[in-house]
Amino acid sequence: MRELLLPKFNNNDEGCVLVGWTVDDGSAVSADAVVAEVETAKALEELVADADGILHRLVDAGAHCAFGRPVGLLFDSRRERDDYLAAAVVTTAPEGEGEDHDGGPDPILSDAARTLAQDHGVRTEQLRTLGKRVVKASDVQRLIDQGLMDRGTASVAAGESAASADAVVVSLSPRQRAVAAVVSEAHRTIPAAFAAITVDLTAFRATRGRAPYGLVELLVKAIAARHADFPLFFATSGADHTLTLASAANVGVTVDVGTGLFIPVLKDAARRPIGDLTDDLMDFRVSALRQNFREDAFADEAITLSLHNDPDIILAAPIVHPGRTCVVTLCAERSEVALTEDGKPFARPVTTVAATYDHRYLNGRDAVGFLTAVKQDLETADAIARLAG
């Protein structure tokens, strides 16, 4: 018998949702066959069997599963699977459990269900209330969720909630739970600092009539062009205050078209033509709409560009994702009144470019130097031509 383990698809999530099985329970599968589809916070992935065998499912479709935990078993034969089901017992029950009670015999737990019950302190008498002879991890998860809801209802009744007792309780989606875990970890572990700079877009505006690219692509090129000068901004943080420098300027760009936030990566952005980046960004938006990203679209990110360029957004400070040292922000374009050398007012197009950074590795002087270099590349016609060339 082999465990069908859920691999760690990315470093930002602790787990994923098993969307559905593609193979019936008890069916024969071959090595490298797709047996299930799972959804991380970023993408839809395929779970592949690593050996031939008879599949025994341990979790139901829709269950949230932790990386590294088994979601199924692969048996050498159907007889072996039948023997396993017949012999399965609750091996971790306290003294007195495992016998007949008024509520009936103790249920049989799958390995994943037993581990989940142990982790959350679910007792055998609670498992008996399910009325099932064989309990899966998804059944235990429902008990856990119900326990959280019951405690929330009790808090309402005790006056601990501002809402009335008949208030509607809404559970977070699995994707939002994953986002919540990343945000919580970022705020807990990363001492973030923030700096912002105004960028004059007059020179960029002058190129718009003849340039088939946008400000986002140009900013990606300006960021990537500073990889050699500011390598720590593109580094991956590790243990004991160490950093691993990136070999290429891979820039992750946030994409949100109403189906969730994704951060696909523009690979080697410093060396690639700006037209290729334009094409990739369009492909990213289509994939976001269809929600059919592959996990390799998010691989090898070195620095993040967070787009907050909706109208009237003048400043934004997103989180620094665990493992990254810096996230750059692009805000909305706006008009600003300035003065000529002889004191006459005029309007100019500007935007705000900002950096949120891990203060353990990057200092304010570094951030200002990085932003100033990016600003200079976006404000002069020669630099823009060089980036776009």
Side-chain angles (χ1 to χ4, degrees), residues 224 226-237 243-251 265 268 271 300-303 323-325:
R226 297 300 166 179
H227 175 215
D229 298 330
F230 297 89
L232 299 189
F233 284 72
F234 299 79
T236 301
S237 59
L243 290 172
T244 301
L245 302 184
S247 59
N250 299 328
V251 183
V265 180
D268 203 8
R271 295 186 177 89
D300 303 322
E301 179 185 1
I303 193 171
R324 306 275 73 78
T325 61

Side-chain angles (χ1 to χ4, degrees), residues 319-335:
I319 66 166
V320 180
H321 280 243
R324 306 275 73 78
T325 61
C326 179
V327 53
V328 179
T329 304
L330 174 65
C331 298
E333 183 178 330
R334 64 187 188 278
S335 292

